[in-house]
Amino acid sequence: AEATFEYAKTIIGLMTRERDPRGKILIVGGGIANFTDVAATFTGLIKALKAFRDELLAHHVDIWIRRAGPNWQEGLRLMRECATETGLPIHIYGPETEMTAIVPLALGLDSIEDHREFDEEELLTDKKPPAGKSEHVAQLRRQTLIPPVADHETDQSVENFSASTRCIVYGLQKRAVQGMLDFDMLCKREVPSVAAMIFPFKANHFASFYFGSEEVMIPVYKNTVEAINKHPDVSVVINFASCRSVFSSVLDILKYSDQVKTIVIIAEGVPEQQTRFLIKAASKKGVAILGPATVGGIKTGCFRIGNAGGMMDNIIDSKLYRPGSVAYVTKSGGISNELNHIICRSSDGVYEGVAIGGDRYPGSRLVDQLIKYNSNDEVKILMALGEVGGKEEYAICEALESGKITKPLIAWCIGTCSTIFPYTIQFGHAGASASKDEETALAKNNALRAAGAHVPTNFGELGSVLRRIYDELVTTGALVPAPEPRVPKVPMDYAWAKKLGLVRKPRGFVTSISDERGEELLYAGMPISMIFEENMGLGAVICLLWCKRQLPEYASRFVEMVLMVTADHGPAVSGAHNTIIATRAGKDLVSSLASGLLTIGPRFGGALDEAAVVFTEASDSGTSPQDFVKQMRLSNRLIMGIGHKVKSLSNPDMRVEIIKKYALEKFPDNTVLRYALEVESITTRKKNNLILNVDGCIAVCVVDMLRSCGAFTKVEADELVQSGCLNGLFVLGRSIGLIGHHLDQKRLKQGLYRHPWDDISYLNEGMPRRPSGGGVGGGGDDGGVSGGDGKKVDDEEKKDDAC
């Protein structure tokens, strides 16, 4: 939507620079899209129209819109709301109006009364057959007739598809494959048309798809030979390889020409020399090539190539799930959706439609397809859509004049406007450029008309010409319309149904700290660019992600200090020890880090949360430090955060001194820290090393910081402490050191660690005896012998939580 807004803003800005007394016209036109969400695209256009409302009104700009495709109803409804809100003169048309009709309407060359806008009440309630269809046709449709079976095969050297055709898709194109399987269900195929996929960049595996409401697994092979050999019923390969690799992949597929008879090349931009080589090689092996630069084709009721026909709602609207009587061939795949719609509205529908591709050297020719259709008794009307550039349409003229094509042929070459330019223009496709007069669309249309084809005066008249020929064939009995079958139903994908607002479901989980969906990553709603522009630092990022608050600079700096002082405490502590042993056992960084982190708990590094709770509760309750120590002793509880194995009053821990000094200088309030220091003055009377250790100091300082920084209420601060954020700081900080130990051991190339025997106390109490009475005692590895830790740790040594 944003890209559309920028584009529309540029166009509207240019057209409103200069005034014209006659007013101006803005045309927004397009065919029936394959996958473009019309509503999403129009969101950007509407934004631009609102932004330039005053300029558009001042310049008397009339706006004409014609669009169709996925979600077109919502898109046009939004556009109507925009017209009502802004007062802009916007004329809005959907697929009921021919694609190019808005041009003569906007120029005043056609009557607006003859073209109803998409939301006129008359259109919504009109259920009659399209204008021009005789009552005779309607009566025939009410008869009980047997519909034709769309499985005709011919001997032409072009692609031939049937209701039993199966294919291999080259490339991991899951969206295209799912679309083909959905079409298979519409056509009531018993077996999916896609037998397998080839993806050379990954080992053999299975990909999950839906066949109706049932989940099916389609094999994905790494190489072509295995895929072909394991699926002997496959005769078509749809190649989605890029223009860089399609040449080699097609050559590889041609090795199996005894089985594969059609290769579809989707890629655009294939070098012409390579294309000509592939066409020649395929011709020698009797393999048909469709493409390059093709969307594919569709044989109604039988087989769909890739994304041909667009989304399911367009396929159903165009009734491509059952065969009609009109077969078409076109160079442009983008226009095929429009042809499907025109043919459905003006006749009994499409029998088969193929886009041969717009490159200068396509694998098959327009005339080849038409001759194939001409030999099929089920096809009653032919249609060919050429374009400016090349001389391929003259081969159709020769086929008409020689009698190779005998059925009614409607033909049109796109690009008639090219003659108004004083220089050569290329219209999209590589082959859509006229270097000579005979290659212009006008010249080729005149030649086709002279050869006997039905050539309308413009693209918008294709439907009326087809309707006239169709009615004539029905009236004479040459074409007998089949009764309409019941419209099949295919389950809608959840993602698309959700986008249309048809379903809802609860979220799998909820998050509020970050969002990567927009143009820029957000941390707690703050753009990442702003974080760097304001030089906020790591501490501020942690506060945003953990607390969802932007804390004062001194608080963010304190968080960074905590990470620094907790980063490491030597190789002897349990976390570093485990990390080193895992590393020397050959484990990777993540595994070694996890080994060390799993030792963190109440005896090692995990005392911060509990220390914060006990000191805070005691301080808040008004309990004196003396009574607090006494109560803890009477309840036989350790005071977490008090005691160190090495450090003491006479040998203070510099980490504690740094943290304590910073907090006392910077924090607005130090109530809990001062309380803890009073407790320390009592405990050190008993033993010199029962000091406030680094865990306890960090814990009480964090509580004071959260409560006094102004970003939290007291309740919010206490909830953060209870959620485990203090231990989180230790885990995050200590991870730095553990990773360092892993890298250090790798750098030193240390081998597998084995603990020396002489440092282990083995407790052997003799052979265990079987208990009397026939019972079996003990079990497991220790054979029923009860062992101990081998060492008693006194209570005061347990208090050493910093190490």
Side-chain angles (χ1 to χ4, degrees):
E2 196 61 29
T4 307
F5 168 67
E6 293 296 332
Y7 181 76
K9 186 173 66 173
T10 302
I11 296 294
I12 298 172
L14 289 171
M15 76 177 300
T16 54
R17 283 184 180 179
E18 302 290 339
R19 292 183 181 273
D20 190 310
R22 299 171 297 177
K24 296 185 178 182
I25 299 170
L26 174 62
I27 296 177
V28 183
I32 300 174
N34 258 342
F35 301 110
T36 302
D37 186 336
V38 175
T41 303
F42 275 8
T43 300
L45 176 59
I46 291 169
K47 183 179 177 181
L49 293 175
K50 289 181 178 179
F52 284 84
R53 172 190 177 274
D54 295 340
E55 291 88 342
L56 291 167
L57 290 172
H59 286 76
H60 304 289
V61 177
D62 276 348
I63 303 168
W64 299 78
I65 294 174
R66 192 273 185 182
R67 193 63 164 128
N71 210 13
W72 67 269
Q73 296 95 334
E74 177 66 11
L76 299 190
R77 185 191 66 78
L78 292 173
M79 191 59 70
R80 178 63 73 207
E81 288 183 357
C82 173
T84 303
E85 179 182 340
T86 61
L88 292 170
I90 306 178
H91 309 272
I92 308 170
Y93 299 90
E96 73 286 342
T97 302
E98 302 295 349
M99 181 176 65
T100 58
I102 58 173
V103 176
L105 283 172
L107 296 175
L109 303 177
D110 202 351
S111 173
I112 194 171
E113 287 77 16
D114 296 335
H115 298 272
R116 296 172 297 195
E117 297 192 26
F118 87 102
D119 54 354
E120 289 186 22
E121 184 178 357
E122 182 182 4
L123 174 64
L124 299 177
T125 58
D126 186 8
K127 301 297 181 181
K128 297 180 293 183
K133 286 197 174 181
S134 64
E135 179 61 24
H136 178 59
V137 175
Q139 290 176 354
L140 286 172
R141 280 206 172 277
R142 288 193 287 268
Q143 297 178 12
T144 303
L145 301 173
I146 300 175
V149 179
D151 60 357
H152 178 76
E153 297 286 354
T154 73
D155 295 328
Q156 301 294 332
S157 59
V158 291
E159 53 286 333
N160 297 285
F161 308 121
S162 72
S164 59
T165 297
R166 300 199 79 201
C167 73
I168 290 174
V169 173
Y170 192 102
L172 206 59
Q173 293 287 325
K174 292 188 174 182
R175 183 177 188 176
V177 171
Q178 186 59 66
M180 293 176 68
L181 266 58
D182 288 342
F183 183 75
D184 295 340
M185 284 301 299
L186 280 177
C187 301
K188 300 181 180 179
R189 285 184 59 135
E190 296 182 359
V191 179
S193 59
V194 181
M197 302 170 71
I198 300 173
F199 189 62
F201 306 106
K202 193 174 182 180
N204 290 3
H205 63 284
F206 285 89
S208 174
F209 296 94
Y210 287 98
F211 191 56
S213 58
E214 298 295 324
E215 190 173 15
V216 296
M217 305 300 289
I218 293 182
V220 183
Y221 299 97
K222 186 177 176 64
N223 56 67
T224 303
V225 59
E226 189 173 2
I228 297 292
N229 291 338
K230 288 192 175 181
H231 300 278
D233 57 340
V234 165
S235 61
V236 177
V237 174
I238 304 173
N239 195 333
F240 281 92
S242 70
C243 61
R244 297 179 298 276
S245 59
V246 71
F247 179 71
S248 58
S249 60
V250 171
L251 286 180
D252 191 26
I253 297 167
L254 284 174
K255 296 175 184 177
Y256 311 97
S257 57
D258 55 334
Q259 179 179 333
V260 176
K261 296 303 179 183
T262 300
I263 301 175
V264 183
I265 303 175
I266 304 295
E268 295 185 56
V270 181
E272 292 180 354
Q273 184 180 7
Q274 293 183 0
T275 300
R276 296 173 73 179
F277 184 90
L278 290 176
I279 293 171
K280 188 174 181 180
S283 179
K284 288 181 179 179
K285 292 179 174 288
V287 176
I289 296 285
L290 182 61
T294 179
V295 71
I298 197 162
K299 188 163 187 177
T300 53
C302 289
F303 185 75
R304 176 191 188 187
I305 298 174
N307 297 315
M311 296 189 70
M312 279 300 110
D313 54 354
N314 186 60
I315 286 176
I316 292 173
D317 289 344
S318 299
K319 301 181 180 179
L320 300 178
Y321 51 84
R322 52 82 170 149
S325 303
V326 182
Y328 72 84
V329 58
T330 173
K331 282 192 172 184
S332 171
I335 209 70
S336 59
N337 284 352
E338 201 68 36
L339 288 179
N340 292 331
H341 186 69
I342 291 172
I343 292 170
C344 177
R345 293 178 66 238
S346 306
S347 68
D348 63 348
V350 175
Y351 180 85
E352 182 176 332
V354 169
I356 65 171
D359 279 3
R360 192 175 297 275
Y361 299 102
S364 60
R365 303 182 302 162
L366 295 171
V367 69
D368 295 332
Q369 299 288 341
L370 292 173
I371 292 174
K372 181 188 78 167
Y373 297 151
N374 193 77
S375 65
N376 188 336
D377 293 338
E378 301 296 338
V379 175
K380 306 301 181 182
I381 303 172
L382 312 180
M383 183 177 288
L385 198 66
E387 63 185 17
V388 61
K391 301 179 181 180
E392 193 172 329
E393 289 80 1
Y394 291 103
I396 300 175
C397 297
E398 294 175 5
L400 285 166
E401 292 168 349
S402 65
K404 291 182 180 179
I405 297 178
T406 57
K407 294 179 179 178
L409 169 64
I410 303 169
W412 177 253
C413 289
I414 297 173
T416 53
C417 65
S418 64
T419 54
I420 70 173
F421 295 97
Y423 46 85
T424 301
I425 294 290
Q426 181 169 322
F427 290 84
H429 294 150
S433 177
S435 58
K436 302 176 182 178
D437 287 343
E438 60 185 356
E439 293 183 0
T440 64
L442 282 175
K444 291 192 284 188
N445 282 334
N446 290 334
L448 286 164
R449 188 180 291 110
H454 300 269
V455 181
T457 57
N458 56 64
F459 180 85
E461 291 185 2
L462 272 178
S464 58
V465 172
L466 172 59
R467 185 178 296 122
R468 174 176 55 79
I469 296 172
Y470 175 77
D471 285 349
E472 289 175 359
L473 293 177
V474 171
T475 302
T476 61
L479 190 159
V480 179
E484 284 293 339
R486 187 175 64 178
V487 178
K489 292 184 179 179
V490 172
M492 185 180 294
D493 286 341
Y494 172 78
W496 183 244
K498 181 175 179 293
K499 200 166 190 176
L500 296 179
L502 301 178
V503 295
R504 61 188 179 191
K505 82 175 188 66
R507 304 290 188 182
F509 60 87
V510 181
T511 183
S512 63
I513 63 171
S514 63
D515 191 342
E516 81 289 1
R517 297 171 299 173
E519 294 184 0
E520 189 173 353
L521 177 64
L522 303 178
Y523 287 165
M526 180 173 290
I528 189 70
S529 60
M530 183 182 297
I531 292 172
F532 282 91
E533 288 169 3
E534 298 185 5
N535 197 26
M536 294 176 64
L538 178 61
V541 170
I542 293 172
C543 293
L544 287 173
L545 294 177
W546 289 18
C547 309
K548 291 189 63 180
R549 298 285 197 284
Q550 186 175 357
L551 303 189
E553 184 177 354
Y554 71 81
S556 299
R557 173 61 181 160
F558 178 76
V559 172
E560 294 175 0
M561 290 175 61
V562 171
L563 298 182
M564 293 165 68
V565 300
T566 60
D568 193 49
H569 202 233
V573 297
S574 56
H577 188 74
N578 265 27
T579 298
I580 291 170
I581 291 175
T583 302
R584 294 179 61 171
K587 304 299 287 185
D588 61 276
L589 186 147
V590 175
S591 301
S592 301
L593 174 62
S595 177
L597 291 176
L598 288 173
T599 64
I600 296 176
R603 291 189 177 185
F604 167 60
L608 280 83
D609 284 339
E610 190 171 348
V613 170
V614 295
F615 280 117
T616 302
E617 288 180 350
S619 175
D620 290 348
S621 66
T623 304
S624 68
Q626 185 71 44
D627 290 342
F628 169 69
V629 174
K630 184 177 180 180
Q631 290 172 6
M632 296 295 285
R633 185 186 303 115
L634 291 175
S635 60
N636 199 27
R637 291 173 60 194
L638 299 177
I639 303 176
M640 290 298 180
I642 292 290
H644 197 283
K645 187 174 184 179
V646 177
K647 299 298 180 179
S648 62
L649 285 177
S650 58
N651 179 28
D653 187 341
M654 290 309 299
R655 299 176 300 172
V656 175
E657 296 302 310
I658 292 169
I659 293 293
K660 182 170 59 175
K661 180 181 178 181
Y662 185 88
L664 291 171
E665 290 179 355
K666 301 291 185 180
F667 293 177
D669 182 76
N670 298 103
T671 299
V672 184
L673 171 59
R674 295 187 185 282
Y675 185 88
L677 292 175
E678 291 184 38
V679 171
E680 179 191 51
S681 66
I682 297 170
T683 57
T684 51
R685 294 174 195 166
K686 178 182 179 183
K687 197 170 182 179
N688 199 34
N689 68 340
L690 295 181
I691 59 172
L692 180 65
N693 59 37
V694 70
D695 284 6
C697 186
I698 291 173
V700 295
C701 287
V702 169
V703 173
D704 285 336
M705 180 194 75
L706 293 175
R707 285 184 169 186
S708 64
C709 69
F712 308 96
T713 64
K714 180 177 178 296
V715 174
E716 289 174 333
D718 292 346
E719 285 180 352
L720 274 173
V721 172
Q722 293 166 7
S723 68
C725 71
L726 295 177
N727 277 351
L729 285 173
F730 181 84
V731 170
L732 182 59
R734 188 50 56 92
S735 294
I736 299 172
L738 299 183
I739 292 172
H741 284 295
H742 171 83
L743 298 176
D744 184 52
Q745 294 299 306
K746 291 290 187 181
R747 182 169 49 250
L748 297 174
K749 296 180 173 54
Q750 294 297 289
L752 179 67
Y753 175 83
R754 181 180 177 88
H755 202 72
W757 291 340
D758 59 3
D759 194 38
I760 302 173
S761 294
Y762 291 90
L763 301 179
N764 294 309
E765 299 181 1
M767 181 71 70
R769 298 176 178 275
R770 184 185 298 275
S772 59
V776 178
D781 290 337
D782 71 2
V785 178
S786 175
D789 291 339
K791 182 180 179 183
K792 188 177 188 320
V793 182
D794 64 68
D795 287 345
E796 291 178 349
E797 193 169 335
K798 288 181 183 178
K799 297 175 184 176
D800 180 14
D801 296 307
C803 298

